[in-house]
Amino acid sequence: MATVRAATAPVLRTSLRPSSARYCGRIGGGGGATSRMTGVASVRWKSGPYGYTQAKALVFSQYGEPKDALKLHTHSISPNLPSSSVLLRTLAASINPADVNTIQGTYGAKPTFSSLIGTSEPSALPGNEGVFEIASTPPSSSSGLVKGDWVIPAKTGFGTWRTHAVAPLESVIKVEKEGLSPIQVGTVSVNPCSAYRMLRDYATPPLREGDWFIQNGANSGVGRAAIQLGRLWGYRSINVIRARENPEDTKALKDELAALGADRVVTEEEFLAREFRDAVAEWTRGSGGGVRLGLNCVGGKSAQNIAKTLGTSGTMVTYGGMARQPVALPTGLLIFKDLRFVGFWLSRWADGDTTAKARTVNEILDLIRQGKFRDTPVVDVPWNWETEENTLKEAVQGTLEGFRAVLIEAEASYLVHLFNMRSVAMFKELYLTALLACEFMIA
Ligand SMILES: NC(=O)c1ccc[n+]([C@@H]2O[C@H](COP(=O)([O-])OP(=O)(O)OC[C@H]3O[C@@H](n4cnc5c(N)ncnc54)[C@H](OP(=O)(O)O)[C@@H]3O)[C@@H](O)[C@H]2O)c1
């Protein structure tokens, strides 16, 4: 969480906060979803003459690596808003892998390039996830939104990496801010929503209290959310993690996930051992159906073993490919065990039904408010108004270190087919899974 610094003028604070696992690769000790901070700075929010708002935005006009493609653009926003729009001030904005892959030109959904904010060349605004405060509304607005309300983007492709935005009313969803921090609201839409939908929508019939699910990458942001939601809904979970550098750290991570509500936590080695299936049979005895749902964000042998662990008619949902290995499945599992293998893409769900997105987001925010859902641990990488363009670009670029990989096209195509995804490019996003969150906070 960013530290807040006293200032004589309104100060816009921005923090970039990648998780350590995403940013640094595998680390000893804590879980993969821990983030870290680098640097701090402050930003003046400037009012221009005649009520104009001075704003900044990270933009790109050509695809490329973030350090090469991103530019920091300064512009003015007129106080005369269109009647169906609102002026937003950014409070927190995540930088997810999908955002970075959009800049690289490898993401399935392509951005719109325009000169709307006065860039010299048509440019796109990256960033899909964030939280904004209503800075002003048109005088005659009957939207129900008032100055100070908090909103999140209704759909992906919003362009959240900017200090201010003029947004059409229908492009935002209001959230009740009471009891919540900008980081909690600004990071709710991707990982917690993914865990929620995968647990609720994919098992056939839907999971009931007492049912078991299994997941790899269990210490990831999605994994931690799944553990917590599963526990709240009465589901029981088997959680696979990678062992840490030493047994004490492995135990500490297991204990941490158990404290979140994990029923069982095993290392990849324990998971792949011969005895594992006997242990699962013992754990799930009497539950009916054995393990009914598997969540896979790793691929390779781990995914295969998830499939082998599922009971008859179980479902495996693949939503990531961290190990950069294809998912190869024994034929017998498909024929004799009647397993189902599906892919999940949050964007497809969220953009297809914004009412459902609002409902899911609000439900999770209620759980956070009630203290029933813990935040993913984060460490900020702050960024403020005086921060050099290069500092920002390098911070974004750095979030991919440790995960950047060149795929063999054939392998990717195979996986795309398996995941029923739109393109090889889309699948690359799943490999390049890194998250950097930035946060703009008014001190
Ligand atoms: N399809 C969608 O709509 C969607 C939505 C959200 C997220 N995702 C995907 O979900 C996955 C998790 O995202 P997140 O943001 O929650 O991740 P995260 O917090 O950064 O955690 C990454 C996880 O991956 C594990 N991992 C990294 N490299 C690995 C490898 N080679 N083999 C096995 N495990 C490895 C890490 O384990 P260690 O701690 O041991 O390194 C950690 O558990 C990503 O693949 C992301 O792209 C997809």
PDB file of all heavy atoms in Angstrom, residues 19 21-22 26 31-33 190-191 194 217-222 242 244 297-298 319-323 344-346 403 429-430 433, ligand 1:
ATOM      1  N   SER A  19       3.365  -8.160  -8.320  1.00  0.00           N
ATOM      2  CA  SER A  19       3.627  -9.192  -7.317  1.00  0.00           C
ATOM      3  C   SER A  19       5.053  -9.660  -7.484  1.00  0.00           C
ATOM      4  O   SER A  19       5.619  -9.604  -8.559  1.00  0.00           O
ATOM      5  CB  SER A  19       2.688 -10.381  -7.504  1.00  0.00           C
ATOM      6  OG  SER A  19       3.217 -11.268  -8.448  1.00  0.00           O
ATOM      7  N   ALA A  21       6.195 -12.618  -7.364  1.00  0.00           N
ATOM      8  CA  ALA A  21       6.296 -13.786  -8.232  1.00  0.00           C
ATOM      9  C   ALA A  21       6.247 -13.352  -9.687  1.00  0.00           C
ATOM     10  O   ALA A  21       6.988 -13.825 -10.515  1.00  0.00           O
ATOM     11  CB  ALA A  21       5.157 -14.748  -7.949  1.00  0.00           C
ATOM     12  N   ARG A  22       5.399 -12.406  -9.951  1.00  0.00           N
ATOM     13  CA  ARG A  22       5.258 -11.961 -11.321  1.00  0.00           C
ATOM     14  C   ARG A  22       6.470 -11.167 -11.752  1.00  0.00           C
ATOM     15  O   ARG A  22       6.909 -11.229 -12.867  1.00  0.00           O
ATOM     16  CB  ARG A  22       4.023 -11.076 -11.435  1.00  0.00           C
ATOM     17  CG  ARG A  22       2.749 -11.802 -11.131  1.00  0.00           C
ATOM     18  CD  ARG A  22       1.690 -10.778 -10.857  1.00  0.00           C
ATOM     19  NE  ARG A  22       0.419 -11.400 -10.641  1.00  0.00           N
ATOM     20  CZ  ARG A  22      -0.402 -11.042  -9.670  1.00  0.00           C
ATOM     21  NH1 ARG A  22      -0.085 -10.074  -8.851  1.00  0.00           N
ATOM     22  NH2 ARG A  22      -1.553 -11.633  -9.538  1.00  0.00           N
ATOM     23  N   ARG A  26      10.290 -16.842  -9.280  1.00  0.00           N
ATOM     24  CA  ARG A  26      10.020 -17.587  -8.069  1.00  0.00           C
ATOM     25  C   ARG A  26      10.874 -17.086  -6.922  1.00  0.00           C
ATOM     26  O   ARG A  26      12.062 -16.853  -7.067  1.00  0.00           O
ATOM     27  CB  ARG A  26      10.351 -19.041  -8.359  1.00  0.00           C
ATOM     28  CG  ARG A  26       9.819 -19.976  -7.347  1.00  0.00           C
ATOM     29  CD  ARG A  26      10.028 -21.359  -7.857  1.00  0.00           C
ATOM     30  NE  ARG A  26       9.580 -22.315  -6.876  1.00  0.00           N
ATOM     31  CZ  ARG A  26      10.000 -23.561  -6.869  1.00  0.00           C
ATOM     32  NH1 ARG A  26      10.851 -23.975  -7.762  1.00  0.00           N
ATOM     33  NH2 ARG A  26       9.540 -24.395  -5.980  1.00  0.00           N
ATOM     34  N   GLY A  31       4.147 -16.561  -0.667  1.00  0.00           N
ATOM     35  CA  GLY A  31       3.447 -17.063  -1.834  1.00  0.00           C
ATOM     36  C   GLY A  31       3.651 -16.236  -3.070  1.00  0.00           C
ATOM     37  O   GLY A  31       4.215 -15.151  -3.041  1.00  0.00           O
ATOM     38  N   GLY A  32       3.202 -16.777  -4.174  1.00  0.00           N
ATOM     39  CA  GLY A  32       3.409 -16.118  -5.445  1.00  0.00           C
ATOM     40  C   GLY A  32       2.648 -14.836  -5.598  1.00  0.00           C
ATOM     41  O   GLY A  32       2.959 -14.045  -6.476  1.00  0.00           O
ATOM     42  N   ALA A  33       1.661 -14.635  -4.784  1.00  0.00           N
ATOM     43  CA  ALA A  33       0.846 -13.457  -4.989  1.00  0.00           C
ATOM     44  C   ALA A  33       1.336 -12.254  -4.186  1.00  0.00           C
ATOM     45  O   ALA A  33       0.700 -11.234  -4.141  1.00  0.00           O
ATOM     46  CB  ALA A  33      -0.599 -13.754  -4.630  1.00  0.00           C
ATOM     47  N   VAL A 190     -10.451  -8.653 -11.853  1.00  0.00           N
ATOM     48  CA  VAL A 190      -9.801  -9.687 -12.678  1.00  0.00           C
ATOM     49  C   VAL A 190      -9.633 -11.001 -11.898  1.00  0.00           C
ATOM     50  O   VAL A 190     -10.339 -11.978 -12.157  1.00  0.00           O
ATOM     51  CB  VAL A 190      -8.462  -9.174 -13.255  1.00  0.00           C
ATOM     52  CG1 VAL A 190      -7.730 -10.294 -13.993  1.00  0.00           C
ATOM     53  CG2 VAL A 190      -8.718  -8.013 -14.223  1.00  0.00           C
ATOM     54  N   ASN A 191      -8.690 -11.028 -10.949  1.00  0.00           N
ATOM     55  CA  ASN A 191      -8.410 -12.322 -10.313  1.00  0.00           C
ATOM     56  C   ASN A 191      -9.554 -12.838  -9.430  1.00  0.00           C
ATOM     57  O   ASN A 191      -9.974 -13.992  -9.597  1.00  0.00           O
ATOM     58  CB  ASN A 191      -7.095 -12.252  -9.531  1.00  0.00           C
ATOM     59  CG  ASN A 191      -5.893 -12.229 -10.474  1.00  0.00           C
ATOM     60  OD1 ASN A 191      -6.021 -12.565 -11.644  1.00  0.00           O
ATOM     61  ND2 ASN A 191      -4.749 -11.837  -9.976  1.00  0.00           N
ATOM     62  N   SER A 194     -12.372 -13.952 -11.651  1.00  0.00           N
ATOM     63  CA  SER A 194     -12.055 -15.193 -12.379  1.00  0.00           C
ATOM     64  C   SER A 194     -12.288 -16.403 -11.492  1.00  0.00           C
ATOM     65  O   SER A 194     -12.900 -17.398 -11.906  1.00  0.00           O
ATOM     66  CB  SER A 194     -10.595 -15.177 -12.858  1.00  0.00           C
ATOM     67  OG  SER A 194     -10.402 -14.151 -13.787  1.00  0.00           O
ATOM     68  N   GLY A 217      -1.077 -23.848  -8.996  1.00  0.00           N
ATOM     69  CA  GLY A 217      -0.830 -22.403  -8.839  1.00  0.00           C
ATOM     70  C   GLY A 217      -1.663 -21.843  -7.707  1.00  0.00           C
ATOM     71  O   GLY A 217      -2.147 -20.715  -7.767  1.00  0.00           O
ATOM     72  N   ALA A 218      -1.801 -22.624  -6.632  1.00  0.00           N
ATOM     73  CA  ALA A 218      -2.781 -22.278  -5.590  1.00  0.00           C
ATOM     74  C   ALA A 218      -2.402 -21.032  -4.799  1.00  0.00           C
ATOM     75  O   ALA A 218      -3.245 -20.435  -4.147  1.00  0.00           O
ATOM     76  CB  ALA A 218      -2.964 -23.459  -4.638  1.00  0.00           C
ATOM     77  N   ASN A 219      -1.127 -20.649  -4.852  1.00  0.00           N
ATOM     78  CA  ASN A 219      -0.721 -19.437  -4.131  1.00  0.00           C
ATOM     79  C   ASN A 219      -0.785 -18.189  -5.016  1.00  0.00           C
ATOM     80  O   ASN A 219      -0.373 -17.110  -4.601  1.00  0.00           O
ATOM     81  CB  ASN A 219       0.706 -19.591  -3.581  1.00  0.00           C
ATOM     82  CG  ASN A 219       1.721 -19.831  -4.672  1.00  0.00           C
ATOM     83  OD1 ASN A 219       1.464 -20.597  -5.589  1.00  0.00           O
ATOM     84  ND2 ASN A 219       2.870 -19.189  -4.602  1.00  0.00           N
ATOM     85  N   SER A 220      -1.284 -18.326  -6.234  1.00  0.00           N
ATOM     86  CA  SER A 220      -1.437 -17.161  -7.121  1.00  0.00           C
ATOM     87  C   SER A 220      -2.592 -16.293  -6.623  1.00  0.00           C
ATOM     88  O   SER A 220      -3.339 -16.680  -5.718  1.00  0.00           O
ATOM     89  CB  SER A 220      -1.730 -17.633  -8.549  1.00  0.00           C
ATOM     90  OG  SER A 220      -3.001 -18.265  -8.582  1.00  0.00           O
ATOM     91  N   GLY A 221      -2.750 -15.139  -7.257  1.00  0.00           N
ATOM     92  CA  GLY A 221      -3.875 -14.275  -6.899  1.00  0.00           C
ATOM     93  C   GLY A 221      -5.198 -14.980  -7.126  1.00  0.00           C
ATOM     94  O   GLY A 221      -6.092 -14.951  -6.268  1.00  0.00           O
ATOM     95  N   VAL A 222      -5.341 -15.634  -8.271  1.00  0.00           N
ATOM     96  CA  VAL A 222      -6.576 -16.363  -8.559  1.00  0.00           C
ATOM     97  C   VAL A 222      -6.741 -17.505  -7.559  1.00  0.00           C
ATOM     98  O   VAL A 222      -7.830 -17.722  -7.011  1.00  0.00           O
ATOM     99  CB  VAL A 222      -6.571 -16.926 -10.004  1.00  0.00           C
ATOM    100  CG1 VAL A 222      -7.808 -17.774 -10.248  1.00  0.00           C
ATOM    101  CG2 VAL A 222      -6.491 -15.786 -11.022  1.00  0.00           C
ATOM    102  N   ARG A 242       4.271 -24.930  -5.666  1.00  0.00           N
ATOM    103  CA  ARG A 242       5.651 -25.353  -5.866  1.00  0.00           C
ATOM    104  C   ARG A 242       6.393 -25.190  -4.538  1.00  0.00           C
ATOM    105  O   ARG A 242       6.186 -24.207  -3.826  1.00  0.00           O
ATOM    106  CB  ARG A 242       6.325 -24.507  -6.939  1.00  0.00           C
ATOM    107  CG  ARG A 242       5.673 -24.724  -8.292  1.00  0.00           C
ATOM    108  CD  ARG A 242       6.555 -24.266  -9.407  1.00  0.00           C
ATOM    109  NE  ARG A 242       6.743 -22.821  -9.425  1.00  0.00           N
ATOM    110  CZ  ARG A 242       7.474 -22.198 -10.342  1.00  0.00           C
ATOM    111  NH1 ARG A 242       8.090 -22.895 -11.279  1.00  0.00           N
ATOM    112  NH2 ARG A 242       7.592 -20.893 -10.324  1.00  0.00           N
ATOM    113  N   ARG A 244       9.114 -24.300  -1.840  1.00  0.00           N
ATOM    114  CA  ARG A 244      10.019 -23.158  -1.711  1.00  0.00           C
ATOM    115  C   ARG A 244      11.465 -23.641  -1.597  1.00  0.00           C
ATOM    116  O   ARG A 244      11.737 -24.836  -1.663  1.00  0.00           O
ATOM    117  CB  ARG A 244       9.649 -22.320  -0.481  1.00  0.00           C
ATOM    118  CG  ARG A 244       8.190 -21.881  -0.415  1.00  0.00           C
ATOM    119  CD  ARG A 244       7.838 -20.837  -1.450  1.00  0.00           C
ATOM    120  NE  ARG A 244       7.179 -21.408  -2.607  1.00  0.00           N
ATOM    121  CZ  ARG A 244       6.667 -20.702  -3.604  1.00  0.00           C
ATOM    122  NH1 ARG A 244       6.734 -19.394  -3.599  1.00  0.00           N
ATOM    123  NH2 ARG A 244       6.101 -21.293  -4.622  1.00  0.00           N
ATOM    124  N   CYS A 297      -3.812 -23.513 -14.058  1.00  0.00           N
ATOM    125  CA  CYS A 297      -3.141 -22.350 -14.655  1.00  0.00           C
ATOM    126  C   CYS A 297      -1.686 -22.670 -14.935  1.00  0.00           C
ATOM    127  O   CYS A 297      -0.898 -21.772 -15.168  1.00  0.00           O
ATOM    128  CB  CYS A 297      -3.268 -21.120 -13.753  1.00  0.00           C
ATOM    129  SG  CYS A 297      -2.278 -21.182 -12.242  1.00  0.00           S
ATOM    130  N   VAL A 298      -1.332 -23.965 -14.918  1.00  0.00           N
ATOM    131  CA  VAL A 298       0.075 -24.342 -15.076  1.00  0.00           C
ATOM    132  C   VAL A 298       0.335 -25.082 -16.387  1.00  0.00           C
ATOM    133  O   VAL A 298       1.223 -24.730 -17.152  1.00  0.00           O
ATOM    134  CB  VAL A 298       0.546 -25.190 -13.862  1.00  0.00           C
ATOM    135  CG1 VAL A 298       1.954 -25.728 -14.089  1.00  0.00           C
ATOM    136  CG2 VAL A 298       0.522 -24.351 -12.585  1.00  0.00           C
ATOM    137  N   TYR A 319      -7.106 -21.933 -17.381  1.00  0.00           N
ATOM    138  CA  TYR A 319      -7.177 -20.473 -17.526  1.00  0.00           C
ATOM    139  C   TYR A 319      -5.810 -19.822 -17.605  1.00  0.00           C
ATOM    140  O   TYR A 319      -5.694 -18.606 -17.707  1.00  0.00           O
ATOM    141  CB  TYR A 319      -8.001 -19.860 -16.379  1.00  0.00           C
ATOM    142  CG  TYR A 319      -7.357 -19.985 -15.015  1.00  0.00           C
ATOM    143  CD1 TYR A 319      -6.689 -18.910 -14.446  1.00  0.00           C
ATOM    144  CD2 TYR A 319      -7.414 -21.173 -14.295  1.00  0.00           C
ATOM    145  CE1 TYR A 319      -6.092 -19.008 -13.199  1.00  0.00           C
ATOM    146  CE2 TYR A 319      -6.822 -21.285 -13.059  1.00  0.00           C
ATOM    147  CZ  TYR A 319      -6.161 -20.202 -12.509  1.00  0.00           C
ATOM    148  OH  TYR A 319      -5.564 -20.307 -11.281  1.00  0.00           O
ATOM    149  N   GLY A 320      -4.750 -20.616 -17.566  1.00  0.00           N
ATOM    150  CA  GLY A 320      -3.400 -20.075 -17.676  1.00  0.00           C
ATOM    151  C   GLY A 320      -2.430 -21.183 -18.053  1.00  0.00           C
ATOM    152  O   GLY A 320      -2.785 -22.368 -18.024  1.00  0.00           O
ATOM    153  N   GLY A 321      -1.217 -20.803 -18.429  1.00  0.00           N
ATOM    154  CA  GLY A 321      -0.217 -21.798 -18.843  1.00  0.00           C
ATOM    155  C   GLY A 321       1.158 -21.451 -18.317  1.00  0.00           C
ATOM    156  O   GLY A 321       2.109 -21.319 -19.086  1.00  0.00           O
ATOM    157  N   MET A 322       1.276 -21.320 -16.992  1.00  0.00           N
ATOM    158  CA  MET A 322       2.511 -20.812 -16.384  1.00  0.00           C
ATOM    159  C   MET A 322       3.737 -21.673 -16.701  1.00  0.00           C
ATOM    160  O   MET A 322       4.833 -21.147 -16.799  1.00  0.00           O
ATOM    161  CB  MET A 322       2.347 -20.728 -14.859  1.00  0.00           C
ATOM    162  CG  MET A 322       1.262 -19.792 -14.385  1.00  0.00           C
ATOM    163  SD  MET A 322       1.468 -18.083 -14.860  1.00  0.00           S
ATOM    164  CE  MET A 322       3.032 -17.670 -14.135  1.00  0.00           C
ATOM    165  N   ALA A 323       3.591 -22.972 -16.829  1.00  0.00           N
ATOM    166  CA  ALA A 323       4.752 -23.833 -17.060  1.00  0.00           C
ATOM    167  C   ALA A 323       5.180 -23.836 -18.521  1.00  0.00           C
ATOM    168  O   ALA A 323       6.216 -24.406 -18.855  1.00  0.00           O
ATOM    169  CB  ALA A 323       4.461 -25.264 -16.606  1.00  0.00           C
ATOM    170  N   PHE A 344     -11.229 -20.877 -19.843  1.00  0.00           N
ATOM    171  CA  PHE A 344     -11.928 -19.706 -19.284  1.00  0.00           C
ATOM    172  C   PHE A 344     -11.184 -18.442 -19.685  1.00  0.00           C
ATOM    173  O   PHE A 344      -9.961 -18.354 -19.532  1.00  0.00           O
ATOM    174  CB  PHE A 344     -11.982 -19.803 -17.749  1.00  0.00           C
ATOM    175  CG  PHE A 344     -12.513 -18.553 -17.093  1.00  0.00           C
ATOM    176  CD1 PHE A 344     -13.871 -18.294 -17.063  1.00  0.00           C
ATOM    177  CD2 PHE A 344     -11.637 -17.625 -16.517  1.00  0.00           C
ATOM    178  CE1 PHE A 344     -14.361 -17.128 -16.467  1.00  0.00           C
ATOM    179  CE2 PHE A 344     -12.118 -16.464 -15.921  1.00  0.00           C
ATOM    180  CZ  PHE A 344     -13.479 -16.218 -15.899  1.00  0.00           C
ATOM    181  N   TRP A 345     -11.916 -17.470 -20.193  1.00  0.00           N
ATOM    182  CA  TRP A 345     -11.346 -16.149 -20.483  1.00  0.00           C
ATOM    183  C   TRP A 345     -12.265 -15.117 -19.865  1.00  0.00           C
ATOM    184  O   TRP A 345     -13.401 -14.943 -20.297  1.00  0.00           O
ATOM    185  CB  TRP A 345     -11.218 -15.935 -22.000  1.00  0.00           C
ATOM    186  CG  TRP A 345     -10.491 -14.660 -22.356  1.00  0.00           C
ATOM    187  CD1 TRP A 345      -9.609 -13.962 -21.575  1.00  0.00           C
ATOM    188  CD2 TRP A 345     -10.581 -13.944 -23.591  1.00  0.00           C
ATOM    189  NE1 TRP A 345      -9.144 -12.863 -22.244  1.00  0.00           N
ATOM    190  CE2 TRP A 345      -9.713 -12.824 -23.480  1.00  0.00           C
ATOM    191  CE3 TRP A 345     -11.290 -14.143 -24.771  1.00  0.00           C
ATOM    192  CZ2 TRP A 345      -9.564 -11.903 -24.512  1.00  0.00           C
ATOM    193  CZ3 TRP A 345     -11.136 -13.213 -25.787  1.00  0.00           C
ATOM    194  CH2 TRP A 345     -10.274 -12.124 -25.664  1.00  0.00           C
ATOM    195  N   LEU A 346     -11.764 -14.440 -18.853  1.00  0.00           N
ATOM    196  CA  LEU A 346     -12.569 -13.471 -18.109  1.00  0.00           C
ATOM    197  C   LEU A 346     -13.188 -12.410 -19.022  1.00  0.00           C
ATOM    198  O   LEU A 346     -14.353 -12.037 -18.865  1.00  0.00           O
ATOM    199  CB  LEU A 346     -11.708 -12.789 -17.042  1.00  0.00           C
ATOM    200  CG  LEU A 346     -12.448 -11.747 -16.206  1.00  0.00           C
ATOM    201  CD1 LEU A 346     -13.311 -12.412 -15.161  1.00  0.00           C
ATOM    202  CD2 LEU A 346     -11.474 -10.782 -15.554  1.00  0.00           C
ATOM    203  N   PHE A 403       9.013 -14.204 -16.734  1.00  0.00           N
ATOM    204  CA  PHE A 403       7.933 -14.914 -17.393  1.00  0.00           C
ATOM    205  C   PHE A 403       7.955 -14.734 -18.905  1.00  0.00           C
ATOM    206  O   PHE A 403       7.173 -15.340 -19.606  1.00  0.00           O
ATOM    207  CB  PHE A 403       6.575 -14.422 -16.886  1.00  0.00           C
ATOM    208  CG  PHE A 403       6.355 -14.791 -15.465  1.00  0.00           C
ATOM    209  CD1 PHE A 403       6.469 -13.845 -14.483  1.00  0.00           C
ATOM    210  CD2 PHE A 403       6.080 -16.098 -15.124  1.00  0.00           C
ATOM    211  CE1 PHE A 403       6.289 -14.178 -13.162  1.00  0.00           C
ATOM    212  CE2 PHE A 403       5.895 -16.446 -13.815  1.00  0.00           C
ATOM    213  CZ  PHE A 403       6.001 -15.482 -12.825  1.00  0.00           C
ATOM    214  N   GLU A 429      -0.729 -14.466 -24.228  1.00  0.00           N
ATOM    215  CA  GLU A 429      -1.034 -13.649 -23.046  1.00  0.00           C
ATOM    216  C   GLU A 429      -1.024 -14.506 -21.783  1.00  0.00           C
ATOM    217  O   GLU A 429      -0.567 -14.099 -20.739  1.00  0.00           O
ATOM    218  CB  GLU A 429      -2.405 -12.979 -23.216  1.00  0.00           C
ATOM    219  CG  GLU A 429      -2.821 -12.103 -22.043  1.00  0.00           C
ATOM    220  CD  GLU A 429      -3.539 -12.862 -20.947  1.00  0.00           C
ATOM    221  OE1 GLU A 429      -4.239 -13.844 -21.244  1.00  0.00           O
ATOM    222  OE2 GLU A 429      -3.375 -12.497 -19.794  1.00  0.00           O
ATOM    223  N   LEU A 430      -1.519 -15.705 -21.920  1.00  0.00           N
ATOM    224  CA  LEU A 430      -1.598 -16.554 -20.745  1.00  0.00           C
ATOM    225  C   LEU A 430      -0.215 -16.996 -20.278  1.00  0.00           C
ATOM    226  O   LEU A 430       0.007 -17.221 -19.108  1.00  0.00           O
ATOM    227  CB  LEU A 430      -2.476 -17.766 -21.049  1.00  0.00           C
ATOM    228  CG  LEU A 430      -3.928 -17.425 -21.308  1.00  0.00           C
ATOM    229  CD1 LEU A 430      -4.682 -18.651 -21.728  1.00  0.00           C
ATOM    230  CD2 LEU A 430      -4.562 -16.827 -20.066  1.00  0.00           C
ATOM    231  N   THR A 433       2.130 -14.245 -18.131  1.00  0.00           N
ATOM    232  CA  THR A 433       1.236 -13.813 -17.069  1.00  0.00           C
ATOM    233  C   THR A 433       2.007 -13.088 -15.988  1.00  0.00           C
ATOM    234  O   THR A 433       2.713 -13.670 -15.202  1.00  0.00           O
ATOM    235  CB  THR A 433       0.457 -14.985 -16.502  1.00  0.00           C
ATOM    236  OG1 THR A 433      -0.409 -14.512 -15.512  1.00  0.00           O
ATOM    237  CG2 THR A 433       1.338 -16.065 -15.943  1.00  0.00           C
TER     238      THR A 433
HETATM  239  N1  LIG B   1      -8.024 -16.661 -18.455  1.00  0.00           N
HETATM  240  C1  LIG B   1      -8.304 -15.571 -17.756  1.00  0.00           C
HETATM  241  O1  LIG B   1      -9.292 -14.872 -17.989  1.00  0.00           O
HETATM  242  C2  LIG B   1      -7.395 -15.210 -16.612  1.00  0.00           C
HETATM  243  C3  LIG B   1      -7.800 -14.269 -15.653  1.00  0.00           C
HETATM  244  C4  LIG B   1      -6.940 -13.998 -14.583  1.00  0.00           C
HETATM  245  C5  LIG B   1      -5.706 -14.649 -14.510  1.00  0.00           C
HETATM  246  N2  LIG B   1      -5.366 -15.527 -15.488  1.00  0.00           N
HETATM  247  C6  LIG B   1      -4.141 -16.305 -15.428  1.00  0.00           C
HETATM  248  O2  LIG B   1      -4.110 -16.949 -14.175  1.00  0.00           O
HETATM  249  C7  LIG B   1      -2.803 -17.247 -13.838  1.00  0.00           C
HETATM  250  C8  LIG B   1      -2.560 -16.775 -12.423  1.00  0.00           C
HETATM  251  O3  LIG B   1      -2.642 -15.393 -12.449  1.00  0.00           O
HETATM  252  P1  LIG B   1      -2.355 -14.589 -11.130  1.00  0.00           P
HETATM  253  O4  LIG B   1      -2.373 -13.183 -11.490  1.00  0.00           O
HETATM  254  O5  LIG B   1      -3.258 -15.081 -10.071  1.00  0.00           O
HETATM  255  O6  LIG B   1      -0.843 -15.130 -10.858  1.00  0.00           O
HETATM  256  P2  LIG B   1       0.267 -14.747  -9.785  1.00  0.00           P
HETATM  257  O7  LIG B   1      -0.371 -14.238  -8.551  1.00  0.00           O
HETATM  258  O8  LIG B   1       1.333 -13.953 -10.439  1.00  0.00           O
HETATM  259  O9  LIG B   1       0.906 -16.163  -9.463  1.00  0.00           O
HETATM  260  C9  LIG B   1       1.557 -16.900 -10.423  1.00  0.00           C
HETATM  261  C10 LIG B   1       1.432 -18.368 -10.037  1.00  0.00           C
HETATM  262  O10 LIG B   1       1.972 -19.184 -11.055  1.00  0.00           O
HETATM  263  C11 LIG B   1       2.921 -20.082 -10.455  1.00  0.00           C
HETATM  264  N3  LIG B   1       3.955 -20.389 -11.428  1.00  0.00           N
HETATM  265  C12 LIG B   1       4.758 -19.525 -12.061  1.00  0.00           C
HETATM  266  N4  LIG B   1       5.560 -20.176 -12.912  1.00  0.00           N
HETATM  267  C13 LIG B   1       5.259 -21.493 -12.800  1.00  0.00           C
HETATM  268  C14 LIG B   1       5.745 -22.677 -13.414  1.00  0.00           C
HETATM  269  N5  LIG B   1       6.726 -22.644 -14.317  1.00  0.00           N
HETATM  270  N6  LIG B   1       5.201 -23.848 -13.050  1.00  0.00           N
HETATM  271  C15 LIG B   1       4.215 -23.900 -12.132  1.00  0.00           C
HETATM  272  N7  LIG B   1       3.697 -22.803 -11.526  1.00  0.00           N
HETATM  273  C16 LIG B   1       4.223 -21.616 -11.859  1.00  0.00           C
HETATM  274  C17 LIG B   1       3.454 -19.323  -9.272  1.00  0.00           C
HETATM  275  O11 LIG B   1       4.012 -20.225  -8.389  1.00  0.00           O
HETATM  276  P3  LIG B   1       5.353 -19.845  -7.556  1.00  0.00           P
HETATM  277  O12 LIG B   1       4.911 -18.976  -6.416  1.00  0.00           O
HETATM  278  O13 LIG B   1       5.868 -21.157  -7.119  1.00  0.00           O
HETATM  279  O14 LIG B   1       6.267 -19.109  -8.499  1.00  0.00           O
HETATM  280  C18 LIG B   1       2.158 -18.709  -8.751  1.00  0.00           C
HETATM  281  O15 LIG B   1       1.395 -19.657  -8.068  1.00  0.00           O
HETATM  282  C19 LIG B   1      -1.945 -16.559 -14.880  1.00  0.00           C
HETATM  283  O16 LIG B   1      -1.583 -17.523 -15.824  1.00  0.00           O
HETATM  284  C20 LIG B   1      -2.891 -15.528 -15.515  1.00  0.00           C
HETATM  285  O17 LIG B   1      -2.581 -15.212 -16.856  1.00  0.00           O
HETATM  286  C21 LIG B   1      -6.170 -15.816 -16.520  1.00  0.00           C
END
